[in-house]
Amino acid sequence: MPAIDTNQCPLCQQNNLCAVNGNEPCWCVSRDVKRDLLTQVPAALSGKSCICKSCIDKFNFNKVINKS
């Protein structure tokens, strides 16, 4: 099995820009990531890398639009 790239979003495979292991708090620790979005992550990648801002924002935007 190939190594998992923790810098890659498990949904879109783009750079997730996560710095959770950096010196400053990362943007990802303060974001509200919905359980419905987390369930879209493939099981093999679940909990291994952060979903990127773009995927989170797209999901949240679609949820707001669908409620309208």
Side-chain angles (χ1 to χ4, degrees):
M1 176 174 219
I4 294 173
D5 183 353
T6 59
N7 294 312
Q8 191 176 61
C9 173
L11 298 176
C12 70
Q13 288 72 51
Q14 299 300 310
N15 191 323
N16 60 20
L17 302 175
C18 180
V20 76
N21 295 322
N23 294 330
E24 299 293 322
C26 183
W27 64 269
C28 69
V29 297
S30 63
R31 291 303 294 260
D32 181 23
V33 181
K34 306 292 185 206
R35 184 173 304 279
D36 289 347
L37 178 59
L38 292 173
T39 62
Q40 295 179 21
V41 174
L45 299 176
S46 183
K48 306 279 192 306
S49 66
C50 291
I51 298 170
C52 71
K53 286 181 188 179
S54 179
C55 286
I56 294 169
D57 291 343
K58 180 179 175 182
F59 178 84
N60 290 338
F61 178 78
N62 287 337
K63 283 294 228 189
V64 168
I65 294 298
N66 290 335
K67 286 184 178 180
S68 302

